Amino acid sequence: MSEAKPNEETLMNTPKNGEIERLYSIQRITAKLGALASFSDLKTQLLKEVSALFEQRRILLFLLNDEKIGLNFAGISQPLDDDEAEERLLNSTIKIFNSDDETVKKLIENTAVALDNITTTDTPFSDLASLLNIDHLYLLPLLFKETLIGLIVLEVNPQTPLNDTDKRILAVLATNLAVSLNNKRTQEGTVQQLAAKMNEMSILQQIDQELNDTIELSTVFNMTCDWALRFSNANAASIALYEEDNDTLRTMFNYGYSITDEEIESLRGQTKSSIAYRVARTGRAEVVPDVSIDMDYQPVEQNIISQMSVPVLREEQVIAVLTLESKKLNAYTDDHLSFVKNLANRAAVAIDNARLYTESERERNKVSHILRNIVDIVIVISPEGRIVLMNQSAISALRLYSDTDYIGRIFDEAIDFRPLINIYHKARDTNEPLTEEITMPNNRVFYTKAELHEGVGWLIVMQDVTPYKEMDRLKSELIATVSHDLKQPLSVMRGYLDLLQMKNTFDTSSENFVNMIDRSIQNMRQLIDDLLDLAKIESGIDLSLEPVSLNALITEVVETNSSTAIQKSMTVNTDLSENLMMVKGEQNRLHQIFNNLIGNAIKYTPPEGKVDIKMEKRGDSVRVSVQDNGLGISPEDQAHIFERFYRVRRPETESIDGTGLGLAIVKTLIEAHQGTIRLESTLGEGTTFYVTLPLSEDVNG
């Protein structure tokens, strides 16, 4: 069996011993390059190994730049002797994007090119040959996935040209080097991106900490612009607050401008067609690489070429615009924009918080100034019982030390005035507003109201009513005297009226006149009785206190007024506690209180209406509510409803008899029983009176 002879092509493509050794060298070089840590080390070692593999020829390396429009010089195995030529070589670039040069086209197609007599030809490599002072070059393209990523340039000596074996070795080497360069460059790029992201996260974390440490608006503006300038290398920065309602930008901070803030504000205030205004209105960031081609650009500083404006958003609403300006063309990258957006998001919270704090501080100072200058006593107590606010009038009236800080102290411990503490405790225990009159240590009488306000606490307001009390006393004395003196003439008038009716016979018309006189005398007598009763109560009556069953008393009052309710086809409902509610009071006076309230509810409710009476225990007190669905009382009338002689003047009430003293007597009697009364009313819907009385400890204890 004979062995086939290899043909000439097979013999030519079969590696010789020397070529095999060089292929092993390529394998070794590839492995060595792959083990290097950095891209820079890879380039240096690549040049060294390739130069050694090809008899110390000078080797140059060009790599695709980031813009992917050309090959930048990346290294040389042996430096040039001429410093000027070395400098030019360092800055040399071979354009490959949209190049018409045939040599470049061949390189892009992965074809190695040998250039001879290059200095006499018109090619992008002619300048390179001149710098190297050589006329023969061999260009070896480095392609990865059909993309030219680099170029190896070998100096060629005409006396020792590259043979076919050298070219085959270079072709194999180019494939391996392209893979190594791409992998290492991608790896280093990934590492750099990761490092940049980590650095950015670290910076943002530091920004968060710094912004959280301040609530001063000016400091927030300063820090925001400072970080934006540092990261983007911009030449100038400004931040302006945006008011959407009137479409205005108000510059709050500028940095890096050669003119004053007032001049900048004047320039920007001349028009509303700037880039920053566009961003404020759309809520979208804009990067302008060249402001000269933007019709809306508003020049403030000379030689500005690039601008970036980013909206500061809070709950999807633009509250400010951050603007950066640079003297470089296309100065801002996507990384710059991403960072400034993140910065703007953080600044939005800080700006909003600082602005709210500034506004609240301004309002607090305003309220504090008002409180310091009003004569009324104002005390605010937290739900936990600590003093939140106490004005100077309170400190003076309670005879406290003016140089002592009472804010934050327990109210019961800081204030040593039992009547005020009792009012606070009573209001807190019943969880209802409470009004009482207190005589202060300086013998001044104060009208005191304690009321719970959600989110604030207990608010105690005290008004000095001493002059009014004195006037009231004098008026009561006058009324009592006059009323007493009016009784006798009224009795005489009534007597003579009776005699007239006995001695004379009147027709129907005259009988009506007599009845009207009689009714007027009765109303006048009732008014005098009420005045005298009120004067007696206010002079300080001694109540005969004893346990009284509130259940039985209210049932009796309802029964007393049932005939009037039946005449008006009204319904009176009672929801009394199953437990016996005993209060300490005087039976007749308590009857007078509820008879007036229930009688009024029936009187001021239209026919076929209803009255609901409910009773419930609240702490150590009992609360009785009398609710009707009648005419209702306006807010203006509610403020005066417990005053003497005050009556609601409306067309619906003109025909209803009354002296205007009933509720004044009721309020005075309730307060004499250590209780409280208040009302809630809406016009056209009805009125509810709430009476709170302390339970009798002897029976309910």
Side-chain angles (χ1 to χ4, degrees):
M1 199 172 155
S2 62
E3 187 176 2
K5 290 185 176 182
N7 57 31
E8 184 177 353
E9 183 178 355
T10 303
L11 289 172
M12 288 181 63
N13 292 330
T14 302
K16 307 299 187 292
N17 289 335
E19 187 174 351
I20 291 174
E21 291 177 1
R22 295 173 76 183
L23 287 173
Y24 280 135
S25 297
I26 291 175
Q27 190 176 22
R28 177 185 57 78
I29 292 170
T30 303
K32 188 173 183 179
L33 294 177
L36 294 174
S38 69
F39 187 62
S40 177
D41 292 341
L42 174 65
K43 292 186 294 184
T44 303
Q45 192 64 30
L46 181 151
L47 293 168
K48 180 179 178 181
E49 296 290 344
V50 175
S51 177
L53 190 61
F54 290 92
E55 302 172 352
Q56 303 299 323
R57 296 174 188 267
R58 180 175 281 157
I59 309 295
L60 289 83
L61 177 64
F62 287 81
L63 294 175
L64 185 67
N65 55 29
D66 294 334
E67 293 79 14
K68 298 184 179 180
I69 59 175
L71 299 172
N72 292 349
F73 173 77
I76 187 169
S77 60
Q78 301 171 27
L80 301 181
D81 296 332
D82 187 348
D83 291 341
E84 184 179 349
E86 182 85 24
E87 182 67 24
R88 288 174 56 195
L89 180 62
L90 288 172
N91 297 314
S92 61
T93 299
I94 301 168
K95 181 184 176 184
I96 63 171
F97 182 72
N98 288 339
S99 176
D100 295 329
D101 184 73
E102 292 300 323
T103 301
V104 172
K105 290 180 179 179
K106 288 180 180 180
L107 294 173
I108 293 174
E109 294 171 356
N110 199 20
T111 301
V113 179
L115 297 177
D116 297 318
N117 301 318
I118 189 172
T119 55
T120 61
T121 60
D122 185 16
T123 172
F125 299 95
S126 299
D127 291 340
L128 180 62
S130 299
L131 289 174
L132 298 174
N133 196 23
I134 194 168
D135 212 21
H136 303 276
L137 296 174
Y138 188 78
L139 309 179
L140 182 67
L142 303 176
L143 272 77
F144 183 80
K145 293 183 178 180
E146 300 181 354
T147 299
L148 183 65
I149 65 168
L151 176 67
I152 290 180
V153 179
L154 286 82
E155 289 186 355
V156 179
N157 190 335
Q159 281 73 35
T160 56
L162 295 172
N163 55 36
D164 292 339
T165 299
D166 291 334
K167 293 176 181 179
R168 286 201 300 272
I169 294 296
L170 283 170
V172 174
L173 183 62
T175 301
N176 292 344
L177 291 180
V179 173
S180 297
L181 283 168
N182 182 78
N183 290 345
K184 191 60 65 176
R185 193 172 195 179
T186 302
Q187 177 185 346
E188 187 161 281
T190 302
V191 172
Q192 289 176 349
Q193 288 180 356
L194 182 60
K197 285 294 181 185
M198 293 294 290
N199 182 51
E200 182 178 339
M201 288 176 63
S202 176
I203 292 174
L204 290 174
Q205 186 177 7
Q206 184 178 350
I207 290 172
D208 286 338
Q209 183 176 353
E210 291 182 5
L211 289 176
N212 288 334
D213 287 343
T214 181
I215 49 176
E216 290 291 338
L217 203 54
S218 59
T219 306
V220 173
F221 293 147
N222 192 339
M223 289 170 54
T224 302
C225 289
D226 179 54
W227 278 108
L229 285 166
R230 277 197 265 174
F231 193 87
S232 64
N233 295 317
N235 297 104
S238 68
I239 191 165
L241 292 179
Y242 180 62
E243 296 292 342
E244 186 177 5
D245 294 340
N246 50 17
D247 190 32
T248 56
L249 275 172
R250 183 162 50 95
T251 305
M252 304 302 297
F253 186 83
N254 293 302
Y255 184 85
Y257 295 98
S258 58
I259 60 178
T260 64
D261 292 350
E262 290 75 14
E263 291 173 321
I264 294 173
E265 188 67 20
S266 176
L267 287 171
R268 289 176 174 169
Q270 293 173 4
T271 178
K272 290 189 176 183
S273 61
S274 65
I275 298 172
Y277 262 110
R278 273 200 327 245
V279 170
R281 290 164 183 153
T282 63
R284 295 190 297 269
E286 288 194 31
V287 177
V288 182
D290 186 355
V291 295
S292 64
I293 61 176
D294 194 308
M295 297 296 294
D296 287 336
Y297 174 67
Q298 190 178 34
V300 175
E301 183 72 8
Q302 293 182 349
N303 303 322
I304 294 297
I305 302 177
S306 301
Q307 180 173 318
M308 174 167 60
S309 290
V310 177
V312 180
L313 299 169
R314 187 64 170 153
E315 296 179 354
E316 299 183 357
Q317 186 175 11
V318 179
I319 63 171
V321 177
L322 174 60
T323 298
L324 300 172
E325 296 187 315
S326 175
K327 297 180 180 179
K328 296 180 182 178
L329 180 67
N330 196 20
Y332 304 111
T333 65
D334 291 342
D335 289 338
H336 292 146
L337 179 60
S338 175
F339 176 84
V340 176
K341 281 183 175 180
N342 286 329
L343 177 62
N345 290 336
R346 286 158 169 78
V349 179
I351 290 172
D352 203 32
N353 290 342
R355 188 161 58 176
L356 288 174
Y357 172 78
T358 302
E359 291 175 359
S360 63
E361 187 69 11
R362 184 164 55 246
E363 290 300 318
R364 191 186 70 82
N365 290 334
K366 187 189 300 182
V367 172
S368 178
H369 178 74
I370 294 171
L371 288 175
R372 280 197 303 268
N373 289 277
I374 64 173
V375 295
D376 291 346
I377 294 173
V378 179
I379 303 173
V380 180
I381 306 169
S382 71
E384 295 77 24
R386 295 185 179 275
I387 298 174
V388 177
L389 183 146
M390 184 161 55
N391 67 347
Q392 187 60 45
S393 296
I395 293 174
S396 300
L398 294 170
R399 296 182 177 178
L400 301 175
Y401 296 104
S402 58
D403 57 349
T404 301
D405 187 9
Y406 293 93
I407 306 303
R409 294 179 59 182
I410 299 294
F411 178 72
D412 292 10
E413 298 175 358
I415 306 299
D416 186 21
F417 186 57
R418 183 48 55 183
L420 182 59
I421 294 174
N422 291 340
I423 289 180
Y424 163 63
H425 284 179
K426 191 184 298 183
R428 185 189 62 187
D429 294 342
T430 59
N431 199 30
E432 289 194 3
L434 180 66
T435 56
E436 285 189 13
E437 289 182 356
I438 296 180
T439 302
M440 301 296 285
N442 56 4
N443 293 322
R444 306 289 292 182
V445 179
F446 279 78
Y447 176 82
T448 305
K449 183 176 182 180
E451 187 173 6
L452 177 63
H453 290 261
E454 288 295 331
V456 178
W458 288 94
L459 176 62
I460 299 177
V461 178
M462 304 174 67
Q463 296 173 308
D464 189 352
V465 293
T466 306
Y468 304 106
K469 294 297 289 184
E470 181 61 23
M471 289 171 58
D472 208 28
R473 186 187 64 80
L474 294 174
K475 183 173 67 174
S476 297
E477 289 181 0
L478 175 63
I479 290 173
T481 303
V482 173
S483 300
H484 186 273
D485 291 342
L486 283 174
K487 269 191 171 186
Q488 184 178 2
L490 281 176
S491 298
V492 173
M493 291 168 63
R494 180 62 182 271
Y496 280 112
L497 187 61
D498 291 339
L499 287 173
L500 281 173
Q501 289 176 300
M502 292 170 60
K503 295 289 185 179
N504 298 280
T505 301
F506 300 105
D507 57 19
T508 304
S509 177
S510 299
E511 187 69 31
N512 287 335
F513 295 152
V514 170
N515 290 335
M516 289 176 63
I517 295 172
D518 185 39
R519 188 162 56 251
S520 297
I521 292 173
Q522 290 178 13
N523 290 339
M524 190 65 177
R525 184 59 183 261
Q526 182 63 50
L527 175 60
I528 292 171
D529 289 342
D530 287 345
L531 284 171
L532 292 173
D533 193 26
L534 182 60
K536 180 181 178 182
I537 295 169
E538 290 182 340
S539 65
I541 60 171
D542 294 327
L543 297 174
S544 300
L545 301 179
E546 59 182 3
V548 177
S549 171
L550 205 55
N551 309 59
L553 186 140
I554 291 176
T555 302
E556 180 183 343
V557 172
V558 171
E559 182 64 27
T560 302
N561 290 273
S562 60
S563 59
T564 307
I566 292 171
Q567 290 176 7
K568 297 180 69 174
S569 300
M570 291 179 58
T571 303
V572 179
N573 301 315
T574 57
D575 181 10
L576 306 181
S577 173
E578 295 180 359
N579 298 323
L580 192 63
M581 293 291 183
M582 304 296 291
V583 296
K584 181 173 285 189
E586 187 174 294
Q587 176 86 20
N588 293 336
R589 291 300 188 180
L590 291 173
H591 189 282
Q592 184 179 356
I593 291 170
F594 289 104
N595 186 60
N596 183 285
L597 294 176
I598 296 173
N600 279 353
I602 295 173
K603 185 190 300 183
Y604 289 96
T605 300
E608 299 184 357
K610 67 174 183 175
V611 175
D612 293 322
I613 304 165
K614 296 181 181 179
M615 184 168 61
E616 58 180 328
K617 183 179 179 182
R618 291 202 166 193
D620 295 332
S621 301
V622 59
R623 188 180 79 168
V624 180
S625 62
V626 180
Q627 181 180 15
D628 63 62
N629 62 345
L631 302 176
I633 304 170
S634 69
E636 295 80 5
D637 290 326
Q638 290 179 38
H640 306 282
I641 200 68
F642 293 109
E643 294 178 4
R644 298 174 189 173
F645 304 110
Y646 188 85
R647 295 196 64 201
V648 176
R649 299 299 180 185
R650 291 168 52 191
E652 301 93 327
T653 63
E654 288 297 329
S655 61
I656 300 176
D657 292 334
T659 63
L661 292 172
L663 288 177
I665 293 173
V666 165
K667 184 175 185 296
T668 306
L669 285 174
I670 289 173
E671 290 176 350
H673 282 81
Q674 304 302 313
T676 61
I677 183 171
R678 67 182 183 88
L679 80 153
E680 294 176 359
S681 185
T682 304
L683 276 176
E685 296 182 10
T687 303
T688 304
F689 282 90
Y690 296 96
V691 176
T692 303
L693 295 168
L695 289 167
S696 176
E697 298 178 0
D698 299 339
V699 179
N700 298 281

